[in-house]
C-alpha cells in the first residue's frame, strides 16, 4: 500500500473513531435524568459527539493494541472484521467494557433524538458490539 493511501486510510479511520466516540459521549451527557426530555438540538448533539470523540481518541491513543485492532478491522471484509472485534473483546474484557461505556452515549442520542451520529459504514459494528 502506498504511503499516501495508508495516510488516507488512517485519516478515515481516525475520523470514524472520533465520530463514534463523539456519539457515545453525547448519550451520556444528554441523559442526565430518565424523566428529563433529551436536548436534541443540533448544538447539543454536536457537543456530545465532539466530547465523545475526544474521549475515544484519548482512550485509543492510550491503548495501542486496541487502536491497531480497530484499524485492522476497519480494513477487513465485514465477516472478518466481526471476528477480529469479537476476538479482541473476548481477550480484553476490561478494555471492551471501558470502550463500550465511552461509546454508549452515541447509542442513547441516536435512540432519543432519532439522529445518526455513528458513521453508517460502522453502524453494524456499533449495533453488534456496543448495542
Amino acid at each position: 500500500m502506498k504511503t499516501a493511501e495508508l495516510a488516507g486510510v488512517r485519516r478515515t479511520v481516525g475520523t470514524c473513531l472520533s465520530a463514534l466516540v463523539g456519539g457515545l459521549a453525547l448519550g451520556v451527557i444528554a441523559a442526565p435524568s430518565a424523566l428529563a426530555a433529551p436536548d436534541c438540538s443540533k448544538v447539543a448533539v454536536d457537543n456530545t459527539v465532539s466530547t465523545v470523540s475526544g474521549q475515544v481518541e484519548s482512550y485509543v491513543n492510550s491503548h495501542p493494541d486496541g487502536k491497531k485492532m480497530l484499524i485492522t478491522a476497519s480494513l477487513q471484509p465485514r465477516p472478518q472484521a466481526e471476528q477480529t472485534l469479537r476476538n479482541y473483546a473476548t481477550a480484553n474484557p476490561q478494555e471492551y467494557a471501558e470502550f463500550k461505556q465511552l461509546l454508549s452515549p452515541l447509542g442513547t442520542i441516536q435512540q432519543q433524538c432519532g439522529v445518526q451520529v455513528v458513521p453508517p459504514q460502522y453502524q453494524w459494528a456499533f449495533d453488534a458490539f456496543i448495542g
Side-chain angles (χ1 to χ4, degrees), residues 17-18 41 43 45 59-60 66 73 75-76 80 97 106 113:
L17 289 175
S18 294
S41 68
V43 170
V45 171
Y59 186 83
V60 296
L75 300 172
Q76 295 173 326
Q80 190 176 355
L106 295 179
C113 298

Side-chain angles (χ1 to χ4, degrees), residues 12-23 49-50 52-54 56-57 106:
T12 300
V13 169
T15 300
C16 292
L17 289 175
S18 294
L20 185 61
V21 170
V49 170
S50 177
V52 172
S53 294
V56 169
E57 185 175 348
L106 295 179

Side-chain angles (χ1 to χ4, degrees), residues 20-98:
L20 185 61
V21 170
L24 290 180
L26 181 59
V28 169
I29 293 170
S33 168
L35 300 175
D39 182 355
C40 295
S41 68
K42 181 173 178 8
V43 170
V45 171
D46 289 348
N47 285 341
T48 300
V49 170
S50 177
T51 299
V52 172
S53 294
Q55 292 172 342
V56 169
E57 185 175 348
S58 292
Y59 186 83
V60 296
N61 285 335
S62 67
H63 294 82
D65 290 339
K67 184 176 184 176
K68 181 179 177 183
M69 178 275 305
L70 290 170
I71 291 170
T72 298
S74 73
L75 300 172
Q76 295 173 326
R78 185 169 167 176
Q80 190 176 355
E82 288 176 359
Q83 190 61 49
T84 297
L85 291 170
R86 191 173 298 108
N87 290 345
Y88 192 84
T90 300
N92 301 278
Q94 181 64 34
E95 281 187 37
Y96 172 67
E98 291 168 355

